[in-house]
Amino acid sequence: MRRPALRRTAFLAALLTATAGVTPPVEAAPRPYEGRPGGKGDRAGEALLRVLNEAVRQGAPGALAQSRTPLRVLDLSSGVADVRTRRKPRAAMRYRMGSITKMFVATVILQLVAEGRLKLGDTADEVIPGVVKGEGYRGDLITMRMLLDHTSGIFNYATDERLGDYAEKHPRHRFTLDELASAALAHPPYFRPGASWAYSDTDYVLLGMVIKAVTGRTYAQEIRRRIIRPLRLRATYLPGARPRIRGPHLHGYTPAEGGPPRLKDVTDVNISYAAASGDMISTAGDLNRFSAALLGGRLLPGRLLRAMLRPVPGSQPYPGSDIFRYGLGTVIARLPCGVRVYGNGGTLDGWETWAGGTRDGRRTMSFVFTSDVVDQIGLTARALEAEYCTVRAEGPRAKPGGAGRPGKRPARTKARP
């Protein structure tokens, strides 16, 4: 896997474009909004808005971000949410998060470890016996930690051409975890377990199976029970094979094949091919709340949170960029200013996303670009630097590292077109 998201292949393109309609040419992308975001002196907000504007200039019809600190919530947007209606992006709009899903799955797995129902050193053969088998595979050597941090060596099912051919012929087929795992294990492994690092969505398909084996409930049920409901993430859900996004939402667009440059609307799609690895839907606000809770220690005990956020030597989730490393279901970014940010990013046809925050969870930021035509790696790095490396004016009550007045709700500001 070349970056922290479900890879675009013929397989994914077939599913994502099965019901898509063609939109106006890429050149018709709306002009970005150039207003002031958060009041006088909010240079970080202005810098982040410039990144959203650049995403629109690169061809994304829309871009949306929410920045959250103890003293304020800042909603920023550029372009449009839907090129047909020309509606503006709004913070309450849902979108497909892609591989940010892996943070949720990893959190459930580590909660099971905290409860003593699972160990990071448990092997696949011990937990899901008979599943990891095939030429070159050793289920007795692949541990839960290796699945979490992508050192298992298991082939990435998202690059399987036969699965892609089947998906193209049967776009409404609801893929099961067993089907996705079997497609991957029909290929030889990338390397022996623990010998190297390679991004593989199959690792999280198997972790979805682990959750069912340990709890008796599906990964979707456990995510709802353990994370979505306790944190009151009311806009977050797992759609299964249902193609439409519920309620107000952004539209995602990907380049159409052949002919002049143009975009296809790939919003409505059967996302079951991304089960447990990239299938969740949420909003920027919900993802910020999740990041704050996770990084703030509300979901995992300290020792397991530290393990989750420890970078794997040699990991490179964003090839070509040296600031990113991978942990257990998380991406660690060490920014040029010295700040470390923890989160994850997602890529699906039509979507580029990020959610994360600082180690204490007190400062978070989530964004989405509504097309995969943009430079995900470059824009993600720029967005993180804008948010975490730019001096921000917080107002007279702000203190370095301070949380503001106890019980006081953060002020909300937003860019107005």
Side-chain angles (χ1 to χ4, degrees), residues 52-391:
L52 303 187
N53 289 339
E54 177 59 27
V56 172
R57 290 191 186 96
Q58 290 185 14
L64 176 71
Q66 185 186 90
S67 166
R68 181 182 289 263
T69 74
L71 293 179
R72 68 101 176 91
V73 176
L74 175 62
D75 296 323
L76 299 169
S77 68
S78 185
V80 297
D82 180 347
V83 299
R84 295 190 185 279
T85 65
R86 314 300 290 181
R87 290 180 302 165
K88 297 295 182 182
R90 301 298 182 195
M93 290 181 171
R94 292 184 170 107
Y95 54 87
R96 299 189 188 277
M97 69 168 79
S99 282
I100 298 172
T101 301
K102 291 181 174 67
M103 278 207 296
F104 286 76
V105 172
T107 298
V108 172
I109 290 290
L110 292 173
Q111 287 179 341
L112 294 175
V113 173
E115 294 164 8
R117 303 169 72 179
L118 193 66
K119 296 179 182 178
L120 289 175
D122 286 345
T123 67
D125 278 358
E126 291 173 324
V127 185
I128 45 174
V131 174
V132 181
K133 58 185 179 181
E135 181 182 354
Y137 285 103
R138 292 286 304 274
D140 61 328
L141 298 180
I142 295 174
T143 66
M144 298 299 104
R145 184 187 292 274
M146 293 175 185
L147 296 177
L148 286 164
D149 68 12
H150 297 303
T151 58
S152 71
I154 297 175
F155 181 86
N156 188 354
Y157 78 87
T159 63
D160 180 88
E161 292 184 0
R162 287 182 297 178
L163 196 65
D165 292 340
Y166 182 85
E168 186 173 7
K169 295 175 182 177
H170 307 279
R172 296 184 180 181
H173 176 74
R174 179 168 189 154
F175 287 92
T176 67
L177 297 177
D178 288 320
E179 286 176 310
L180 300 176
S182 296
L185 295 166
H187 298 266
Y190 296 134
F191 46 79
R192 61 184 175 82
S196 187
W197 187 90
Y199 196 96
S200 177
D201 293 290
T202 311
D203 290 335
Y204 279 74
V205 167
L206 295 173
L207 289 172
M209 299 172 73
V210 166
I211 292 171
K212 179 67 180 293
V214 173
T215 68
R217 290 179 287 269
T218 68
Y219 75 92
Q221 290 172 323
E222 287 296 288
I223 287 173
R224 283 193 292 268
R225 189 173 75 89
R226 293 169 174 268
I227 302 174
I228 294 176
R229 289 172 185 161
L231 297 183
R232 299 181 180 179
L233 306 180
R234 294 185 175 91
T236 303
Y237 71 102
L238 295 99
R242 295 182 295 276
R244 296 189 179 277
I245 300 177
R246 298 198 306 244
H249 59 271
L250 300 166
H251 284 237
Y253 301 88
T254 201
E257 296 181 5
R262 56 182 179 170
L263 296 177
K264 286 185 177 181
D265 187 326
V266 290
T267 307
D268 297 338
V269 63
N270 169 9
I271 199 76
S272 66
Y273 69 84
S277 62
D279 55 337
M280 292 181 68
I281 291 169
S282 189
T283 63
D286 270 13
L287 290 177
N288 278 335
R289 278 193 293 278
F290 166 69
S291 296
L294 176 63
L295 297 171
R298 291 165 52 195
L299 297 177
L300 293 173
R303 65 182 180 87
L304 290 174
L305 182 58
R306 288 191 293 272
M308 186 185 209
L309 304 180
R310 188 176 300 127
V312 178
S315 59
Q316 197 172 35
Y318 286 82
S321 175
D322 290 331
I323 71 171
F324 297 100
R325 292 292 182 266
Y326 206 86
L328 305 183
T330 58
V331 172
I332 300 97
R334 185 171 184 175
L335 303 179
C337 61
V339 174
R340 291 197 181 193
V341 180
Y342 305 85
N344 210 326
T347 293
L348 293 168
D349 279 11
W351 311 94
E352 303 281 12
T353 64
W354 170 269
T358 52
R359 179 59 180 82
D360 57 7
R362 292 158 59 82
R363 189 166 167 183
T364 59
M365 187 269 289
S366 299
F367 70 71
V368 56
F369 308 138
T370 62
S371 179
D372 53 317
V373 301
V374 303
D375 172 16
Q376 181 199 21
I377 298 174
L379 289 177
T380 297
R382 284 181 55 186
L384 296 182
E385 289 183 44
E387 175 63 22
Y388 299 103
C389 295
T390 307
V391 176

